[in-house]
Amino acid sequence: MDVLVEADRLRKTFGHIIAVDEISLRVGKGEVLGFLGPNGAGKSTTMKMLTGFLEPDSGSARICGINVSERGKEAKAKIGYLPEGAPAYGDMTAGAFLSFIAEVRGYRAAERDGKVAAAVARTGLDSVVGQQIETLSKGFKRRVGLAQAILHDPPVLIMDEPTDGLDPNQKHHVRSLIADMARDKAIIVST
């Protein structure tokens, strides 16, 4: 098994509050790790440390063998990240936002358009691709966030509550998508 995500004794405090207390984990290619727990249990904090968006007080995180603290940009290129309340530019259309994300990731012209089309198709955004993000329902906004996370077909997906705000049919679609992608990725999902 190829280990794609590793955490070794990650710890994070905020003042006197211990948010994460020396968590260690390994997720291999083809595995989906479900992070379950109540609000305030440290799930989002752990995900932010794994993705390099939050520096741990101690311990280390590696993505595809790359130390996130030492080579953050290289590690982040291997991650598709869907944070809770994923930010997007509300005045952009879903399609323009995804094109922007593709360009930021270095794709140009036909390759960019192909990546966007594939992400739109996989996440079921065809009917709203021309709409401004601020006019979309919470469920479609969540799917735009998911589309940006999978756009570059990363080997690691880290998703914080990916089905939040989705109706039952949309939840089923996202779960099926996760199961389909799990064959060749390491996926961490919180709920």
Side-chain angles (χ1 to χ4, degrees), residues 41-56:
K43 301 179 303 290
S44 295
T45 301
T46 300
M47 291 179 151
K48 288 176 184 174
M49 288 188 289
L50 289 171
T51 58
F53 287 94
L54 189 60
E55 189 72 27

Side-chain angles (χ1 to χ4, degrees), residues 15-109:
H16 68 281
I17 298 169
I18 300 171
V20 176
D21 194 11
E22 297 196 3
I23 189 170
S24 295
L25 58 86
R26 294 166 56 118
V27 185
K29 182 178 179 178
E31 290 185 317
V32 177
L33 172 71
F35 250 177
L36 306 175
N39 289 338
K43 301 179 303 290
S44 295
T45 301
T46 300
M47 291 179 151
K48 288 176 184 174
M49 288 188 289
L50 289 171
T51 58
F53 287 94
L54 189 60
E55 189 72 27
D57 295 337
S58 61
S60 64
R62 288 175 296 286
I63 302 294
C64 301
I66 302 163
N67 186 300
V68 175
S69 294
E70 295 171 2
R71 296 168 36 210
K73 186 174 180 181
E74 191 178 343
K76 287 177 185 178
K78 307 234 178 249
I79 301 169
Y81 180 41
L82 176 63
E84 187 176 18
Y89 298 107
D91 60 338
M92 295 178 88
T93 66
F97 174 71
L98 294 173
S99 289
F100 168 72
I101 295 298
E103 285 186 29
V104 167
R105 292 214 170 264
Y107 299 111
R108 300 288 180 257

